[in-house]
Amino acid sequence: MNKATPSTMMDNKGQLAVALPSHQPMPLLTKLLFYGVLPIALPIVVSYKMLTDKSYRLTTTSLFSLVNGATKKPCTDEWYFQDVGLLQKLWSLPSAAAYIQKSADTVPDSSSSDNDNTPLLEYQVREGYCGSATQRCILKSLGYPSNSIPDQKGGESKPDLWCEHVKQIAKESTHGADGMEIETTIVRGSDVTYEEFLSTLRQGLDNPNCRICCNYLRSALTGLELTGLWKFHPLFFVLKLYGGHFSPILGMVEQDDKEEKDNPFIAIFDTNHKYNGAYFVPCRRLYDAVSSIDVGSKKSRAIILVEKKSV
């Protein structure tokens, strides 16, 4: 089987040419919920929790401080965010090339587009499908055929549930019968020091059988992004403060500045196509975004190591 070469898949900005998702109309009930019920209910619920729940109030204050700091200095405004030179370095790394080149373990299937020289990354087809899209990206990069992986869906909102589902998908895949299985390890930001977080990333990215899923608060990196009429929607601040996101981590590029040797750039492929593919953030900023608390579970977000092993 021919391997795809990175140069044949890059656009003029150094990005992998990943197909944009087809338009998915919002179901009527979802529209009613989003534009009718939630704008009324959420401000009431949030206000009540802020008044009556000290833990919720402290967490919200901490999240606002984190996101407000990112709004003043968003990664999107920094030179490194989608720098062409850094992207060229990224695609030469084995950890990123795994999402382009075919693994020797890939199961050929004439009906699958995985046999073509196409990227193994994909964007989420709808808001809330980022976890499922990340599962598909990671499993395809580990050699699981696209046609053996379920289509994207919603509901992959917590690291524990995400792990449970990705292992089940791998087990039920046609490739799962070939003596392989998936093991997952959740590393929550609040449970490790920054040095341990960085070491975990290095080890995972250096392991050819391992991929890394990142569950993080994106607004801790990009800020509130106060553009368009969307900022006036009552859900805007709720989603920016409380809404987590899933995406695969592609690689690590060291900074040239020796004083930043312990703060390398981490490359994330954002499953939301509005961010135009891969981007870079300093590891310390990512650590803060991963250490942010999910108010629903009262646990911090996490990186998830997904490792393919023989059985």
Side-chain angles (χ1 to χ4, degrees):
M1 184 182 296
N2 294 328
K3 288 188 175 182
T5 57
S7 61
T8 64
M9 296 186 196
M10 299 298 150
D11 63 21
N12 58 6
K13 296 181 180 179
Q15 290 285 359
L16 193 62
V18 178
L20 294 176
S22 58
H23 176 66
Q24 297 283 330
M26 186 180 291
L28 179 58
L29 288 177
T30 303
K31 282 186 177 180
L32 290 173
L33 179 67
F34 192 81
Y35 294 107
V37 177
L38 291 180
I40 298 173
L42 273 179
I44 297 173
V45 172
V46 171
S47 298
Y48 175 77
K49 293 283 287 183
M50 288 289 287
L51 290 171
T52 61
D53 189 329
K54 181 179 179 180
S55 175
Y56 182 92
R57 186 165 58 249
L58 291 174
T59 298
T60 299
T61 302
S62 175
L63 291 173
F64 179 79
S65 177
L66 179 64
V67 173
N68 188 49
T71 302
K72 294 177 181 177
K73 192 175 182 180
C75 290
T76 49
D77 288 350
E78 300 296 333
W79 70 268
Y80 52 73
F81 188 67
Q82 291 182 317
D83 180 73
V84 174
L86 291 178
L87 286 167
Q88 290 175 343
K89 291 181 180 180
L90 171 67
W91 299 120
S92 68
L93 298 175
S95 59
Y99 290 93
I100 302 174
Q101 298 173 338
K102 300 297 183 290
S103 166
D105 295 327
T106 301
V107 176
D109 185 330
S110 59
S111 65
S112 172
S113 61
D114 287 354
N115 293 316
D116 302 325
N117 288 340
T118 56
L120 301 178
L121 292 165
E122 62 183 66
Y123 292 115
Q124 65 191 67
V125 298
R126 185 183 297 168
E127 190 69 32
Y129 283 31
C130 56
S132 182
T134 301
Q135 289 173 343
R136 285 183 53 84
C137 292
I138 285 177
L139 289 174
K140 286 190 292 181
S141 77
L142 288 171
Y144 290 83
S146 176
N147 62 356
S148 73
I149 305 171
D151 293 337
Q152 293 182 29
K153 63 178 183 178
E156 310 290 351
S157 59
K158 309 294 182 186
D160 299 274
L161 188 62
W162 191 95
C163 290
E164 178 184 331
H165 286 174
V166 78
K167 288 188 287 187
Q168 185 64 30
I169 293 169
K171 183 178 180 180
E172 295 175 354
S173 166
T174 55
H175 192 54
D178 289 346
M180 306 300 297
E181 70 175 11
I182 293 295
E183 290 188 2
T184 59
T185 303
I186 297 174
V187 181
R188 296 190 182 275
S190 62
D191 292 344
V192 294
T193 64
Y194 171 73
E195 289 71 23
E196 291 169 333
F197 179 78
L198 175 58
S199 176
T200 299
L201 285 176
R202 289 191 190 280
Q203 293 175 23
L205 292 169
D206 285 343
N207 182 349
N209 292 317
C210 184
R211 306 290 183 265
I212 303 180
C213 163
C214 190
N215 173 227
Y216 61 113
L217 183 66
R218 184 172 54 206
S219 55
L221 305 173
T222 62
L224 288 174
E225 301 175 278
L226 298 169
T227 58
L229 294 176
W230 168 237
K231 65 184 177 184
F232 298 109
H233 194 289
L235 290 181
F236 179 80
F237 285 100
V238 173
L239 291 176
K240 289 297 182 180
L241 289 184
Y242 304 140
H245 186 56
F246 284 87
S247 285
I249 290 178
L250 302 183
M252 178 184 297
V253 177
E254 303 294 339
Q255 294 206 44
D256 293 331
D257 187 346
K258 292 183 179 179
E259 294 183 358
E260 297 290 345
K261 64 179 181 178
D262 293 328
N263 190 26
F265 294 123
I266 306 300
I268 300 170
F269 174 78
D270 200 312
T271 52
N272 188 328
H273 73 279
K274 295 178 181 179
Y275 292 87
N276 301 310
Y279 54 69
F280 295 91
V281 297
C283 191
R284 290 187 184 277
R285 292 283 298 267
L286 182 61
Y287 176 66
D288 290 340
V290 172
S291 298
S292 64
I293 300 298
D294 176 353
V295 295
S297 66
K298 296 184 179 180
K299 298 179 181 179
S300 76
R301 305 190 187 280
I303 56 173
I304 304 169
L305 306 183
V306 183
E307 189 171 1
K308 182 176 68 174
K309 293 191 174 183
S310 300
V311 293

